């Protein structure tokens, strides 16, 4: 398929043509290990690794681990696993900003010596007050003109642990009147007496992201530093930092719009709150937009890559309809997932003219859209389960399925006619249907060309295996959770998880293993959940069969905000 050229791919391809950066392409995916990756990160991963792959370049995996208070090894491990799962390989190019702590420190000393940085004693609050606003310039700190020697001494003593957290900071000395607030002497280093997941107790001062990031990029000789739009205003600082220092290269920062998806939140902070508040079962809850959640739900890496390709890369913020993600998933699953029969809400059917104690095997088509998938044997007997929804005692107009006196087809088996209804004497609930079958319709077709209006899936009650099935709806009940200043948690969908059991599956499914996909005919795509135990399978509904996308095809898939 021809690659869709977006503005970033155009810039990078042009740089290769013109020989900028010696014609090299080097990108990086720079997660902060403070949470699990989500579908928004997939966009960045596909872009960074994709651009490198297409243009014969390299893409580094770099952990931006400059904030020890929120970072953990657990996150590093899961991030690596998710990037690999998505289908990308960073080879031996696994880097950590923390590996550069020594050099970052030395560069900071260079800045001080050049009069481009100073140690400030203002408190965080004071720094905020001095910073000014969008309409008012900031004011110089009284320590801004501190002699270079003094700053050097204080900075060394900050590193040595002589001062308490927050007592001093190192600030760039740029311009307190700059119209860009990021340029008003931003903080470069702060004291944090917190051990780091990699450097341990070696450091008690840590570099700020805006300082560490450009230097890390330059040390790795990145050519194109792709980041999301919120960093656009930080670009002057990115360039300023590199311009002051004797670094091996000067990468070019290019910003693109972050991915937003309707009916969910894509912020690690909020996702962590959902986990910690037990609103979901964990980072890998199948309703979560995290890559581990999507994976557990049954999303395939190919469908996510396809999604990222289709949404493209632009400079304008937008919200992508979650139906688009589901569409990509169905397209993938539809091609290769085997069909099976399962009854989620069983209604017992007794076939009065089928001999008691007898059973037979019928040949059921594995994939109606792919003849080469062949058939399989499924047991049929006197007592079956059908879907409760497939019967109405008093059928409304346009209900063509089973009803008293009516005939339907059992998929690949026989025609079945309902002759009676058995009810619970107390509650009046229907507990069983009495039916007859027509022996002459074996395989599901009448020799005389007699027609029925519906085909139902079914399982043999004595042969079926019970299972638990988890049905999911959107995690949030509104398109933009938390819009208009509401607490986004108020928008959680209370019905996002429905556990159905026992469901009954055709017996061949007893051999299903964790992670496998099946289409349950007429019900959707399902995958085997990792909660499955011997003798107790648990299935997740990955996605329903109906392509809501078909109905909204006329609509813009990306709503611009
Ligand atoms: P969050 O806001 O969800 O906490 P983040 O931007 O703080 O995310 P990082 O770990 O810093 O998370 O992100 C790593 C990379 O992924 C960055 O380059 C970031 O720009 C990119 N990224 C994060 N969220 C999105 C998104 N929704 N769409 C596209 N790229 C994203
Ligand atoms: Mg971040």
């Amino acid at each position: 398929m021809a690659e869709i050229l977006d503005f970033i791919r155009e810039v990078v391809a042009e740089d290769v043509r013109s020989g900028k950066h010696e014609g090299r392409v080097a990108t990086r995916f720079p997660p902060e290990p403070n949470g699990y990756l989500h579908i928004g990160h997939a966009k960045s991963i596909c872009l960074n690794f994709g651009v490198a792959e297409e243009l014969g370049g390299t893409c580094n995996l770099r952990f931006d681990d400059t904030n020890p208070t929120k970072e953990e090894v657990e996150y590093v491990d899961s991030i690596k696993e998710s990037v690999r799962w998505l289908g990308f390989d960073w080879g031996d190019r696994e880097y950590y900003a923390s590996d550069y702590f020594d050099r970052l420190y030395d560069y900071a000393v260079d800045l001080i010596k050049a009069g481009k940085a100073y140690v400030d004693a203002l408190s965080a609050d004071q720094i905020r007050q001095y910073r000014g606003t969008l309409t008012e310039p900031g004011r110089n700190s009284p320590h801004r003109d501190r002699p270079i020697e003094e700053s050097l001494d204080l900075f060394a003593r900050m590193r040595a642990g002589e001062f308490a957290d927050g007592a001093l900071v190192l600030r760039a000395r740029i311009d307190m009147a700059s119209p860009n607030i990021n340029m008003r002497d931003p903080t470069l280093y702060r004291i944090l007496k917190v051990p780091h997941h990699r450097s341990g107790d070696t450091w008690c001062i840590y570099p700020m992201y805006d300082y560490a990031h450009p230097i890390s990029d330059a040390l790795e000789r990145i050519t194109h530093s792709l980041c999301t739009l919120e960093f656009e205003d930080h670009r002057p600082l990115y360039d300023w930092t590199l311009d002051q220092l004797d670094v091996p290269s000067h990468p070019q920062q290019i910003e693109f719009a972050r991915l937003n998806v309707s009916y969910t939140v894509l912020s690690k902070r909020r996702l962590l709150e959902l986990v910690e508040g037990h609103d979901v079962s964990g980072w890998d809850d199948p309703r979560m937009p995290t890559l581990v959640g999507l994976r557990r739900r049954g999303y395939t890496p190919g469908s996510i890559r396809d999604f990222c390709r289709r949404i493209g890369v632009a400079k304008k913020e937008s919200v992508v309809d979650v139906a688009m993600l589901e569409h990509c998933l169905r397209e993938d699953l539809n091609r290769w997932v085997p069909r099976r029969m399962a009854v989620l809400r069983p209604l017992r059917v007794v076939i009065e003219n089928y001999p008691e104690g007898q059973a037979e095997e019928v040949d059921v088509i594995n994939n109606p859209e792919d003849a080469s998938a062949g058939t399989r044997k499924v047991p049929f007997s006197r007592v079956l389960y059908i879907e409760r929804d497939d019967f109405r005692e008093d059928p409304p107009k346009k209900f063509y399925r089973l009803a008293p006196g009516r005939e339907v087809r059992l998929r690949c088996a026989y025609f079945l006619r309902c002759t009676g209804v058995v009810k619970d004497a107390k509650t009046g609930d229907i507990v069983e249907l009495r039916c007859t079958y027509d022996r002459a319709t074996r395989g599901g077709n009448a020799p005389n060309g007699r027609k029925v209006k519906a085909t139902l899936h079914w399982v043999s009650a004595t042969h079926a295996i019970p299972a638990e099935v988890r049905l999911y709806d959107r995690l949030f009940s509104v398109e933009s959770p938390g819009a208009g200043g509401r607490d986004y948690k108020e928008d959680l969908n209370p019905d996002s998880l429905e556990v159905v059991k026992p469901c009954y599956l055709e017996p061949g499914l007893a051999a299903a293993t964790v992670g496998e996909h099946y289409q349950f005919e007429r019900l959707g795509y399902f995958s085997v959940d990792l909660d499955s135990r011997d003798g107790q399978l648990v299935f997740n509904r990955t996605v329903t069969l109906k392509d809501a996308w078909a109905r909204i095809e006329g609509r813009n898939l990306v709503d611009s905000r």
Side-chain angles (χ1 to χ4, degrees):
M1 192 177 311
E3 262 319 312
I4 302 165
L5 268 199
D6 50 66
F7 80 100
I8 289 184
R9 286 177 161 89
E10 274 169 12
V11 169
V12 180
E14 179 50 35
D15 289 348
V16 170
R17 267 194 297 275
S18 70
K20 195 169 169 187
H21 311 287
E22 311 95 52
R24 283 185 311 119
V25 175
T27 58
R28 84 286 170 267
F29 172 62
E32 184 184 352
N34 62 351
Y36 283 66
L37 298 182
H38 52 62
I39 183 78
H41 293 111
K43 174 177 179 175
S44 175
I45 295 168
C46 289
L47 176 65
N48 279 293
F49 280 93
V51 164
E53 220 167 81
E54 289 150 29
L55 293 162
T58 53
C59 179
N60 297 352
L61 175 62
R62 175 175 349 115
F63 291 96
D64 254 319
D65 54 351
T66 54
N67 184 358
T69 57
K70 290 184 186 166
E71 295 163 6
E72 286 173 34
V73 179
E74 174 198 344
Y75 298 137
V76 171
D77 293 341
S78 90
I79 287 170
K80 289 201 274 187
E81 199 180 322
S82 288
V83 175
R84 237 180 255 125
W85 175 73
L86 256 192
F88 298 102
D89 183 7
W90 57 93
D92 58 359
R93 294 178 307 279
E94 180 174 322
Y95 299 106
Y96 294 81
S98 55
D99 290 345
Y100 308 135
F101 281 172
D102 281 314
R103 279 187 273 180
L104 289 165
Y105 180 86
D106 292 343
Y107 281 126
V109 170
D110 291 347
L111 284 180
I112 300 173
K113 286 181 180 161
K116 302 289 185 181
Y118 60 98
V119 171
D120 198 357
L122 292 185
S123 68
D125 269 348
Q126 287 171 316
I127 289 180
R128 217 167 295 128
Q129 286 159 19
Y130 276 67
R131 190 179 294 135
T133 63
L134 284 174
T135 49
E136 282 168 50
R139 281 178 291 142
N140 286 352
S141 161
H143 312 292
R144 195 174 198 265
D145 294 320
R146 185 196 290 288
I148 288 173
E149 286 310 319
E150 219 175 284
S151 277
L152 285 173
D153 174 60
L154 287 172
F155 191 49
R157 288 163 59 199
M158 280 167 67
R159 176 187 189 170
E162 282 188 34
F163 305 102
D165 285 11
L168 297 173
V169 292
L170 182 73
R171 297 179 69 178
R173 195 163 179 276
I174 310 179
D175 178 7
M176 289 306 292
S178 169
N180 183 339
I181 291 187
N182 295 300
M183 299 297 274
R184 294 183 191 168
D185 292 12
T187 299
L188 304 181
Y189 267 89
R190 75 273 205 220
I191 302 170
L192 276 178
K193 295 197 166 153
V194 177
H196 185 279
H197 68 105
R198 281 177 69 85
S199 59
D201 291 323
T202 311
W203 294 90
C204 63
I205 56 172
Y206 291 95
M208 301 300 288
Y209 177 87
D210 276 344
Y211 172 71
H213 197 75
I215 297 175
S216 305
D217 280 349
L219 291 174
E220 291 172 23
R221 300 182 70 238
I222 297 302
T223 56
H224 300 84
S225 178
L226 312 179
C227 64
T228 34
L229 276 181
E230 69 269 25
F231 290 103
E232 195 166 23
D233 291 345
H234 298 234
R235 191 183 342 130
L237 178 55
Y238 184 100
D239 288 329
W240 180 90
T241 304
L242 296 181
D243 285 341
Q244 311 313 310
L245 297 169
D246 184 18
V247 284
S249 76
H250 190 138
Q252 176 184 359
Q253 173 175 310
I254 308 175
E255 307 86 16
F256 64 95
R258 58 198 293 124
L259 169 65
N260 300 292
V261 177
S262 61
Y263 296 98
T264 194
V265 293
L266 293 185
S267 129
K268 281 184 283 189
R269 184 177 56 79
R270 286 181 171 181
L271 295 174
L272 177 63
E273 284 169 6
L274 293 174
V275 172
E276 288 184 335
H278 302 287
D279 300 294
V280 293
S281 65
W283 285 100
D284 69 346
D285 186 299
R287 294 165 293 178
M288 290 279 270
T290 50
L291 296 181
V292 287
L294 293 168
R295 177 183 187 176
R296 183 166 177 187
R297 173 83 166 253
Y299 272 78
T300 57
S303 65
I304 295 175
R305 289 195 307 265
D306 182 36
F307 171 74
C308 291
R309 189 182 60 78
R310 292 193 201 204
I311 56 173
V313 178
K315 198 103 188 165
K316 192 166 177 229
E317 281 276 325
S318 64
V319 182
V320 176
D321 196 320
V322 67
M324 165 87 172
L325 181 60
E326 292 170 352
H327 174 75
C328 294
L329 178 62
R330 275 190 204 95
E331 281 221 331
D332 182 8
L333 298 180
N334 183 47
R335 274 196 292 271
W336 59 275
V337 170
R339 274 58 171 172
R340 292 293 181 267
M341 290 198 287
V343 173
L344 296 194
R345 300 173 209 272
L347 174 59
R348 209 173 124 91
V349 168
V350 177
I351 306 174
E352 293 182 316
N353 61 341
Y354 196 94
E356 259 177 85
Q358 186 177 309
E360 65 187 289
E361 286 187 319
V362 297
D363 293 313
V364 180
I365 295 166
N366 281 334
N367 188 347
E369 281 161 50
D370 175 10
S372 74
T375 61
R376 67 187 182 282
K377 303 276 185 205
V378 178
F380 184 90
S381 68
R382 178 179 159 90
V383 184
L384 309 175
Y385 290 123
I386 64 166
E387 212 66 62
R388 204 157 258 285
D389 273 0
D390 281 339
F391 175 80
R392 290 287 188 88
E393 191 174 17
D394 190 11
K397 268 210 178 76
K398 294 199 173 158
F399 183 90
Y400 299 118
R401 291 167 277 166
L402 201 58
R406 197 182 278 176
E407 193 173 48
V408 295
R409 174 187 296 109
L410 295 174
R411 162 81 79 209
C412 294
Y414 294 101
F415 281 12
L416 180 86
R417 185 182 298 280
C418 177
T419 53
V421 176
V422 180
K423 293 184 179 174
D424 182 296
K426 279 209 201 93
T427 62
D429 293 343
I430 298 170
V431 293
E432 182 179 295
L433 302 182
R434 308 300 287 191
C435 296
T436 58
Y437 84 124
D438 178 357
R439 269 208 81 75
T441 57
R442 189 174 155 95
N445 293 304
N448 58 5
R450 191 164 90 243
K451 293 267 188 289
V452 286
K453 283 196 169 141
T455 300
L456 311 186
H457 61 275
W458 53 273
V459 294
S460 164
T462 44
H463 301 90
I465 54 165
E468 174 179 322
V469 172
R470 298 174 183 168
L471 304 177
Y472 302 103
D473 196 351
R474 299 186 165 151
L475 185 52
F476 291 91
S477 42
V478 301
E479 262 182 50
S480 302
R486 251 187 341 267
D487 175 3
Y488 71 98
K489 281 203 181 188
E490 281 175 28
D491 292 329
L492 277 165
N493 175 6
D495 303 316
S496 59
L497 168 64
E498 184 186 359
V499 177
V500 190
K501 72 176 173 187
C503 306
Y504 290 102
L505 319 178
E506 59 172 85
L509 282 168
T513 55
V514 172
E516 274 185 342
H517 291 80
Y518 293 97
Q519 185 195 100
F520 291 169
E521 286 202 38
R522 303 174 63 223
L523 298 173
Y525 294 97
F526 293 77
S527 68
V528 185
D529 190 76
L530 49 86
D531 281 344
S532 296
R533 295 289 168 266
D534 263 357
Q536 177 62 63
L537 284 172
V538 178
F539 280 83
N540 297 309
R541 176 149 69 191
T542 304
V543 66
T544 54
L545 284 182
K546 258 269 185 39
D547 195 343
W549 184 243
R551 280 185 278 119
I552 55 178
E553 192 88 65
R555 203 169 96 195
N556 258 352
L557 74 234
V558 179
D559 287 337
S560 287
R561 278 205 290 227

